Amino acid sequence: MTTTFERTARERILTALAEAVARDGYANAKIQEVARDAHVSLRTFYAEFTGKEQAFLELQQRALDGLANAVESTVTFQSPWRDEIRAGFNVYFRLLTARPRLTAAITHELVNLSPEAHAARQWARERFATMLTGLVDAGRAHYPEIPSRSLSPLLAYGVLGAILELVTSEMVDSSPEGIDELVEAGTDILWSIITNVD
Amino acid sequence: MSQTRTSHRDRLLQALANVIAREGYANTRVADVAREARVSLRTFYEEFDSKESGFLALHAMLTDAVASSLEDSANFDQPWRAAIREGFDTYFRLLVAQPKLTTAIMIELTTLSPEAYEAREYARERFTTVMSNLVERGREANPEIPSRPLTPLMARCILGGLLELVTTEVVDEGVDHLPEFVDTCTDLLWSVVTTVE
């Protein structure tokens, strides 16, 4: 019983924090307001988390894990390979652009240099690199007739950086057409790399 | 008058580069920079509002210098892919030659003010333009190789890939092994420009 209650408080805090960051940005999010919105006392907040950063890092990890899971469950290899890749990027960019301030906090605060933030950044990098190389290898097994190559770890990190740059560069707006452009660019770069074989 | 001012500014930027290269950005003191440039503190503050604004001016100057050097030294009398590889190799060697300046640019610059964000944007635009221009020259020199222009968005993507590799490496390990990314960066750029429908 206690466990259920505690988990619920933790979940409510994370939800309230996500709302606060999406609304006010990370720097302006106040723990008092987060606790109030989560219907918990400050004491409960500090029983669950050491502070704003720790709560945010957990939020970040859950959000990014959810994003990766959403992409993985979308790519089922029922359609032509390139269309499957496009579908994966479609989910990725639409989820990322749905809450721009939260995404900005996640992508920018990841650069923050505290050891915990650094560890979170490494975790996210590994999660997405593993997803990317796994999806590419699964695609290669499904479409053996298409000449292709696996992603080396370095290429996977490079592709991840390239894709993240699309989100953070603000070269494309977050209108539906802008998001389509992101999806096409992401698909283009990944497809070019895995099918450009000598 | 204006010539003296220009030379003060140039000397201060050179001195700032020297002090950062020696001490790192965090340990760089404006007083040391002024002394190294043989100007007064007051002269420093006539030219720059702060250490950060001096650093941003230095960053813009280095960005232009590196970008011009990449454009000037590009040699398309060799196979196209080798020319691209040589360009990345030149870039990474410049980074390795100045470990503390590289660290200041790749790490400290990402944690500074909104003006620093503008400075990073400037560098990104400058380097994406270099990449797109060099791709055009490569395409002209090698019409027999099927290829496509590098759009600003794709250039930005490739630069983002490069910076992701570089930043992570500089944070985790420092600058020594950066040249190991030459092949990956060449591969990223080459794959994109030579993949045509």
Side-chain angles (χ1 to χ4, degrees), chain A residues 118 121-122 125-126 157, chain B residues 106-107 161-174 178 181:
Chain A
H118 182 62
R121 184 176 186 280
Q122 278 185 321
R125 198 174 188 244
E126 289 309 318
Y157 296 137
Chain B
M106 295 296 171
I107 298 176
L162 177 155
L163 289 171
E164 159 69 21
L165 290 169
V166 170
T167 308
T168 308
E169 178 71 12
V170 171
V171 170
D172 292 348
E173 309 286 344
L178 289 180
F181 296 138

Side-chain angles (χ1 to χ4, degrees), chain B:
Chain B
M1 271 305 274
S2 80
Q3 203 168 16
T4 314
R5 286 210 52 207
T6 310
S7 88
H8 278 163
R9 192 178 175 86
D10 288 348
R11 263 160 49 201
L12 279 165
L13 289 173
Q14 184 59 53
L16 181 59
N18 294 345
V19 177
I20 294 176
R22 216 163 46 224
E23 312 285 343
Y25 182 75
N27 295 326
T28 291
R29 304 268 169 270
V30 169
D32 296 338
V33 174
R35 189 178 320 116
E36 174 117 3
R38 296 167 195 277
V39 302
S40 65
L41 258 185
R42 187 182 155 155
T43 304
F44 181 97
Y45 286 108
E46 278 167 10
E47 295 292 339
F48 306 110
D49 293 339
S50 63
K51 173 171 105 171
E52 181 182 318
S53 76
F55 178 50
L56 297 183
L58 173 63
H59 176 249
M61 193 182 85
L62 292 173
T63 296
D64 288 337
V66 171
S68 302
S69 131
L70 289 172
E71 281 177 335
D72 295 345
S73 67
N75 168 17
F76 290 98
D77 295 336
Q78 55 185 330
W80 188 19
R81 189 175 169 138
I84 291 176
R85 191 181 189 287
E86 201 171 75
F88 283 118
D89 191 59
T90 302
Y91 173 76
F92 284 116
R93 279 176 200 286
L94 289 168
L95 297 186
V96 173
Q98 293 286 355
K100 288 184 173 164
L101 266 176
T102 296
T103 305
I105 289 167
M106 295 296 171
I107 298 176
E108 265 109 348
L109 194 62
T110 66
T111 60
L112 300 173
S113 65
E115 288 74 27
Y117 177 81
E118 295 300 318
R120 289 163 62 212
E121 275 299 301
Y122 173 74
R124 278 165 152 81
E125 275 166 30
R126 191 77 176 82
F127 284 116
T128 52
T129 305
V130 169
M131 272 200 276
S132 295
N133 289 345
L134 293 185
V135 164
E136 275 321 291
R137 283 168 62 189
R139 280 163 47 78
E140 279 167 26
N142 300 268
E144 74 288 358
I145 298 175
S147 68
R148 56 174 167 162
L150 189 65
T151 63
L153 194 60
M154 290 308 259
R156 182 74 183 228
C157 271
I158 290 162
L159 187 64
L162 177 155
L163 289 171
E164 159 69 21
L165 290 169
V166 170
T167 308
T168 308
E169 178 71 12
V170 171
V171 170
D172 292 348
E173 309 286 344
V175 301
D176 293 352
H177 300 291
L178 289 180
E180 291 170 14
F181 296 138
V182 169
D183 287 320
T184 304
C185 293
T186 306
D187 199 348
L188 280 172
L189 180 56
W190 183 255
S191 296
V192 168
V193 297
T194 63
T195 298
V196 287
E197 302 301 322

